[in-house]
Amino acid sequence: MATAFLSTANSFFPSSISPSTSSSCSSSSSSSLGTALVYLNNQNVQRRTLCKAFNESPPPTPALTKRGFSLCFITSLVLAPGNGCSNAIAAILEADDDEELLEKVKKDRKKRLERQGVISSSGQEKGYLQDVVYKLSEIGQAIDNNDLSTASSVLGGSTDTEWVKNANVAFNKLSSSPEEKTQVETFNSSLASLISSVTKNDVESSKVAFVTSATAFEKWTTLTGLVGQLKGL
């Protein structure tokens, strides 16, 4: 390979060049070739050095996000000894929801206090509701004994009777939520059906309508917080 390379290189020089000139050119060419080889050797050394440094360098540290830091911190608490670990973890996990939870508690407490204030100032309305309890008890006993004439006399024959009107006065004042108002509507519609069934002397339909009315009234008193303030429930 070296002989062929030198032979090819000599063909570039014209034959008219004198031996001294040829010798000078050969010396210059050899010097240039040596410099090139040294340069290439230095480049190879630098490449090997860079490759070695790259292979031996530690892997880059991943970026630590806020969420990752939290997970790492919780993990360290789990692995760390001590009886207070679970309490610390619970405090961390609940911290984000504290503000929302406190706000909800404040709103619920405010509503409860407002409702208690309305009930405390509604003595007359509570009297109307207590009368409803007594009326339903008498009507239920009469229907259970198949005594529809007694049930009819207690009901009054229509929804325009005084006790029904008074009951709706109390319902309107003390009902605030959609659920409470729904129970009031159910009570009034089933009471109308009860009066109609009793008037027709239909025992079975009267029983069904009575149960629906009594159930709606009981649910309403539970929703409004009156269930413990009325006797007979």
Side-chain angles (χ1 to χ4, degrees):
M1 290 291 292
T3 304
F5 176 78
L6 291 174
S7 175
T8 303
N10 289 333
S11 66
F12 291 125
F13 298 103
S15 57
S16 60
I17 297 177
S18 62
S20 60
T21 304
S22 176
S23 174
S24 176
C25 288
S26 297
S27 175
S28 176
S29 177
S30 297
S31 176
S32 298
L33 179 61
T35 302
L37 292 175
V38 171
Y39 174 77
L40 293 175
N41 183 59
N42 289 336
Q43 291 295 315
N44 290 333
V45 170
Q46 290 179 4
R47 290 193 185 96
R48 288 196 296 271
T49 302
L50 289 174
C51 291
K52 182 178 180 181
F54 179 79
N55 292 330
E56 292 179 354
S57 62
T61 303
L64 188 61
T65 62
K66 183 178 180 181
R67 179 178 178 83
F69 176 78
S70 299
L71 292 175
C72 291
F73 182 64
I74 293 174
T75 303
S76 66
L77 289 176
V78 172
L79 297 177
N83 294 330
C85 176
S86 59
N87 293 334
I89 295 174
I92 293 172
L93 295 177
E94 292 174 2
D96 293 339
D97 298 330
D98 281 350
E99 185 175 352
E100 182 179 353
L101 179 61
L102 287 174
E103 189 66 24
K104 185 177 183 301
V105 170
K106 289 179 181 179
K107 290 182 179 180
D108 291 344
R109 184 173 181 274
K110 183 179 179 181
K111 289 181 180 179
R112 186 167 60 254
L113 291 175
E114 290 176 352
R115 173 59 62 85
Q116 290 175 354
V118 172
I119 292 175
S120 298
S121 62
S122 302
Q124 185 177 23
E125 285 76 16
K126 285 193 290 185
Y128 294 157
L129 296 172
Q130 187 63 65
D131 189 38
V132 173
V133 175
Y134 293 148
K135 295 289 186 182
L136 291 178
S137 178
E138 292 180 37
I139 294 168
Q141 290 178 4
I143 293 175
D144 188 51
N145 294 326
N146 294 329
D147 187 2
L148 297 187
S149 60
T150 299
S152 179
S153 64
V154 176
L155 282 169
S158 72
T159 55
D160 290 331
T161 56
E162 184 178 0
W163 74 273
V164 177
K165 288 181 179 180
N166 289 339
N168 278 282
V169 170
F171 289 152
N172 292 334
K173 181 177 181 179
L174 299 176
S175 298
S176 57
S177 69
E179 293 82 2
E180 294 165 2
K181 294 177 181 179
T182 297
Q183 295 305 323
V184 171
E185 293 175 359
T186 301
F187 173 81
N188 284 320
S189 61
S190 58
L191 185 65
S193 297
L194 175 60
I195 293 173
S196 176
S197 297
V198 169
T199 301
K200 294 177 182 178
N201 204 30
D202 188 340
V203 176
E204 294 303 320
S205 296
S206 297
K207 290 180 179 180
V208 172
F210 172 79
V211 170
T212 304
S213 300
T215 300
F217 181 76
E218 186 176 6
K219 287 182 178 179
W220 180 85
T221 57
T222 301
L223 290 170
T224 55
L226 284 163
V227 66
Q229 300 188 35
L230 299 176
K231 298 178 181 179
L233 289 179

